[in-house]
């Protein structure tokens, strides 16, 4: 008889490890499955021709002229990514962000060109003023304060101009009060009742947007966005924001950033059961890129783990700069 008696107390009816023994079994019991069909791919569109300028703080992300943006959408579509989210970098900016509703500005031109060359691509446009104002704020200023109601009027103009160019979905990212309802009414009044609204409903005032502001050249010249974007400490408030946007007519609601707010994604999805998007923002992407460049993280695995966690939390749609890379990785593992 064994005097040590090891394992005597281990009489387990439930051995969780049974279902982890082989790749085949693990796949059978996997709860969350990522698909490229869930991804939206953000693109930065600028003036000019044949422009493909890499963003210093976002390796692999480029400012693209319209012709190059069309090529990128074609390539993304070939990878299985259904759609893109467009941001504009205008040639000139002013205090009221008038380039946001210029029918010939980069975003509007890109929407028309993409719809012509890749008609199946889902085209979503970001609606905000920060890329278009000389001061880099998301709205019209009164002194140093970002006004609400006059800003909403400008956002409505931008959304209408995107819809007229052929956008499928407009995505207000400004966090002004009442903008979803105002945009919905204006779209309906102008015959764009088929254009959907994806609202950045719970958008936090986050330091993770830093690299984006390089990409979109939209850093505020003074101050910050704390008087309109949400306090990172608040989740109940996110539910109120989402409820209000749904009430006003949002078809898809978004939580942004994604990974630091997975709890919010889960609560939004469980509470409202609406199509829910999450945005893996620039800082989430750049953080992985930077660590991978130093050999500190295994990029392909971290990419899939973060995207899986966002889907597991409850997001139906994931907006990510990794859309193409992840789509290709998924295709390769399914082959
Ligand atoms: C525009 C906007 C921002 C982002 C998306 N839309 C920047 C901001 O609010 O400052 C950030 C996206 C990212 O970081 O990838 N208002």
């Amino acid at each position: 008889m064994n005097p040590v008696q090891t394992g005597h107390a281990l009489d387990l009816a439930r051995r969780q490890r049974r279902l982890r023994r082989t790749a085949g079994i693990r796949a059978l019991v996997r709860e969350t499955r990522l698909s490229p069909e869930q991804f939206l791919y953000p693109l930065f569109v600028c003036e000019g021709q044949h422009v493909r300028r890499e963003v210093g703080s976002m390796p692999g992300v480029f400012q693209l002229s319209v012709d190059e943006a069309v090529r990128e959408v074609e390539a993304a579509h070939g990878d299985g990514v259904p759609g893109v989210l467009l941001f504009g970098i205008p040639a000139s900016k002013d205090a009221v962000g008038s380039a946001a509703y210029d029918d010939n500005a980069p975003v509007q031109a890109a929407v028309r060109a993409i719809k012509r060359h890749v008609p199946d691509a889902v085209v979503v446009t970001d609606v905000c003023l920060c890329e278009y104002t000389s001061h880099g704020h998301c709205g019209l200023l009164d002194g140093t304060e970002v006004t609400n109601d006059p800003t909403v009027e400008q956002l409505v103009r931008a959304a209408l101009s995107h819809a007229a160019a052929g956008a499928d979905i407009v995505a207000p990212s400004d966090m002004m009060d009442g903008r979803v309802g105002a945009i919905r009414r204006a779209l309906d009044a102008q015959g764009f009742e088929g254009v959907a609204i994806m609202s950045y409903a719970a958008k936090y005032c986050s330091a993770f947007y830093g690299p984006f502001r390089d990409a979109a050249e939209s850093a505020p010249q003074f101050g910050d966005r704390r008087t309109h974007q949400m306090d990172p400490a608040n989740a109940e408030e996110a539910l109120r924001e989402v409820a209000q946007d749904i009430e006003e007519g949002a078809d898809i609601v978004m939580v942004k950033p994604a990974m630091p707010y997975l709890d919010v994604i889960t609560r939004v999805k469980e509470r409202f059961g609406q199509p829910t998007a999450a945005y893996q923002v620039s800082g989430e992407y750049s953080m992985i890129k930077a660590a991978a460049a130093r050999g500190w993280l295994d990029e392909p695995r971290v990419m899939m783990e973060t995207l899986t966690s966002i889907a597991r939390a409850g997001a139906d749609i994931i907006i990510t700069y990794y859309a193409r890379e992840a789509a290709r990785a998924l295709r390769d593992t399914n082959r």
Side-chain angles (χ1 to χ4, degrees):
M1 181 163 171
N2 180 354
V4 183
Q5 297 278 326
T6 52
H8 204 77
L10 284 176
D11 183 11
L12 295 174
R14 281 262 141 247
R15 283 186 184 272
Q16 305 291 350
R17 291 180 56 187
R18 282 181 198 126
L19 298 182
R20 299 178 196 143
R21 289 180 62 224
T22 70
I25 297 174
R26 288 193 294 273
L28 269 180
V29 300
R30 189 157 294 136
E31 298 173 33
T32 304
R33 291 175 206 280
L34 279 179
S35 158
E37 292 178 334
Q38 297 165 269
F39 299 150
L40 280 177
Y41 184 37
L43 293 182
F44 299 97
V45 189
C46 63
E47 298 276 348
Q49 277 262 315
H50 311 306
V51 179
R52 198 178 168 81
R53 201 180 303 125
E54 193 164 27
V55 178
S57 53
M58 300 180 74
V61 173
F62 299 82
Q63 295 181 340
L64 304 167
S65 52
V66 170
D67 54 320
E68 289 289 329
V70 169
R71 288 180 45 186
E72 191 67 25
V73 177
E74 278 168 346
H77 214 244
D79 291 333
V81 176
V84 288
L85 170 60
L86 302 180
F87 295 93
I89 303 156
S92 66
K93 307 189 185 207
D94 60 26
V96 298
S98 56
Y101 47 88
D102 174 349
D103 291 335
N104 296 311
V107 164
Q108 287 82 348
V111 172
R112 288 190 296 268
I114 293 166
K115 280 290 163 192
R116 196 157 53 233
H117 292 96
V118 201
D120 291 345
V122 179
V123 179
V124 189
T125 56
D126 186 89
V127 175
C128 192
L129 295 187
C130 62
E131 298 124 71
Y132 302 97
T133 51
S134 41
H135 42 72
H137 281 288
C138 301
L140 304 187
L141 295 180
D142 179 6
T144 58
E145 196 188 322
V146 179
T147 64
N148 195 87
D149 304 9
T151 297
V152 171
E153 287 183 27
Q154 294 293 78
L155 297 167
V156 166
R157 291 193 177 100
L160 284 174
S161 157
H162 296 173
D168 298 297
I169 303 176
V170 294
S173 69
D174 49 280
M175 290 297 280
M176 298 301 127
D177 287 320
R179 90 279 206 216
V180 172
I183 290 172
R184 185 69 271 160
R185 284 191 295 277
L187 289 172
D188 292 352
Q190 302 289 320
F192 298 119
E193 50 283 279
V195 173
I197 299 177
M198 173 167 77
S199 76
Y200 288 68
K203 177 173 176 179
Y204 286 87
C205 187
S206 172
F208 285 98
Y209 308 150
F212 171 95
R213 294 177 189 170
D214 285 347
E217 301 174 8
S218 64
Q221 301 293 300
F222 61 88
D224 53 43
R225 309 211 200 286
R226 278 172 224 255
T227 66
H228 45 104
Q229 298 180 348
M230 283 183 53
D231 185 330
N234 297 353
E236 293 290 343
E237 185 188 353
L239 301 180
R240 293 197 292 273
E241 280 281 6
V242 170
Q244 184 171 338
D245 282 7
I246 292 169
E247 184 101 332
E248 290 180 28
D251 302 283
I252 302 170
V253 289
M254 191 202 300
V255 175
K256 172 190 172 191
M259 217 164 60
Y261 300 92
L262 294 178
D263 58 321
V264 179
I265 298 172
T266 302
R267 291 177 70 177
V268 166
K269 185 64 192 177
E270 285 182 349
R271 171 82 63 97
F272 300 101
Q274 296 284 323
T276 303
Y279 196 147
Q280 181 181 51
V281 300
S282 57
E284 297 178 72
Y285 171 85
S286 298
M287 207 161 56
I288 300 170
K289 283 280 174 194
R294 285 164 180 74
W296 293 348
L297 284 178
D298 177 340
E299 185 178 12
R301 288 189 55 199
V302 172
M303 168 181 80
M304 296 314 283
E305 187 175 334
T306 57
L307 296 173
T308 300
S309 73
I310 296 164
R312 192 195 63 234
D316 306 294
I317 300 166
I318 304 176
I319 303 161
T320 174
Y321 301 96
Y322 275 125
R324 286 192 61 194
E325 243 171 286
R328 286 197 298 265
L330 286 167
R331 188 185 53 199
D332 293 346
T333 51
N334 290 335
R335 220 187 336 242

